[in-house]
Amino acid sequence: SSIINGSGLLPSINSSITVDTSLQNFSSFGIDASSLDEQFSNFTINPNSSTTRFGVGLQWEIDIWGRLLNAKKAAKKDYKATEYELSFLALSSLIRSIQAYFKAVEAYGQLIIAKESYESFQEIRNLVKDRYKKGLKSSLDYRLAETSVSTSKVKLENKNLDLANMKRFLETLIGQYPSSNINISK
């Protein structure tokens, strides 16, 4: 684009060669060309004529206001800006991919914590249940323990879904089918 915009800065040279050949028809004047040769033997009248012309033209627009030069500079700057945008896009994609990976690692860690928490709440519920059966704990304590187990189970399922979604997102980024089968390390 800058080459095209800068083309008006230099002069343009045009050249042309023209060859014309014509045949004179004297019959419309009532004159026979062969009789002319006999009457005017001193003069040569050629009914065929050939003309060759050669022309050269030079055109140059003087850029008084700098419009053409500024257009060329602007085109170069536009090209550079496009290069910078593409490099920013590549860097941004890389950064977002790394962020997505670490979010997946975090989701994996949160899933492990949710599993451990669920198992702990189950143990606590079993202890409270045994004490409730022996009459050492009230039914309120037992119901609170059951509620804690149910809540931790919901949290565990949510963390499992979060991890599966992050795995699908990572698989999409690397161009694989999003089946949530990619392995995430600790």
Side-chain angles (χ1 to χ4, degrees):
S1 176
S2 68
I3 294 172
I4 293 171
N5 285 335
S7 65
L9 291 173
L10 301 175
S12 61
I13 299 173
N14 300 323
S15 63
S16 64
I17 297 175
T18 307
V19 177
D20 291 331
T21 304
S22 62
L23 177 63
Q24 296 292 326
N25 186 0
F26 293 112
S27 63
S28 61
F29 299 112
I31 301 172
D32 184 19
S34 61
S35 65
L36 287 176
D37 288 337
E38 295 170 7
Q39 291 178 1
F40 301 103
S41 59
N42 295 343
F43 298 105
T44 304
I45 297 177
N46 187 0
N48 297 326
S49 68
S50 178
T51 306
T52 304
R53 281 180 256 151
F54 178 72
V56 176
L58 176 69
Q59 180 180 0
W60 191 1
E61 178 182 342
I62 299 174
D63 192 16
I64 295 173
W65 307 110
R67 182 182 57 85
L68 296 173
L69 184 62
N70 288 337
K72 183 177 181 178
K73 287 179 183 178
K76 284 183 180 180
K77 296 296 181 182
D78 283 344
Y79 179 76
K80 266 303 207 197
T82 304
E83 279 184 337
Y84 289 144
E85 286 177 5
L86 288 175
S87 64
F88 171 75
L89 179 64
L91 181 63
S92 177
S93 298
L94 179 65
I95 289 171
R96 288 185 185 265
S97 300
I98 292 170
Q99 286 174 338
Y101 177 76
F102 283 113
K103 283 182 179 180
V105 170
E106 178 188 5
Y108 179 73
Q110 292 289 331
L111 178 66
I112 291 173
I113 291 171
K115 281 182 185 178
E116 291 172 356
S117 179
Y118 176 68
E119 291 168 0
S120 296
F121 279 121
Q122 281 182 327
E123 289 176 18
I124 292 171
R125 182 206 49 203
N126 292 339
L127 289 173
V128 170
K129 184 178 179 182
D130 288 340
R131 289 185 179 173
Y132 171 69
K133 286 182 180 179
K134 292 179 184 176
L136 298 174
K137 289 286 183 180
S138 67
S139 65
L140 178 64
D141 291 334
Y142 177 62
R143 282 182 271 150
L144 286 174
E146 282 290 339
T147 303
S148 296
V149 169
S150 297
T151 304
S152 67
K153 186 173 183 178
V154 169
K155 286 182 182 179
L156 176 64
E157 291 302 318
N158 285 338
K159 297 302 178 187
N160 206 359
L161 287 173
D162 289 346
L163 179 61
N165 287 336
M166 288 308 300
K167 284 181 173 184
R168 285 187 194 101
F169 183 68
L170 283 174
E171 287 170 338
T172 303
L173 282 177
I174 61 173
Q176 293 181 356
Y177 182 77
S179 60
S180 182
N181 290 333
I182 193 170
N183 292 326
I184 302 295
S185 66
K186 295 179 183 179

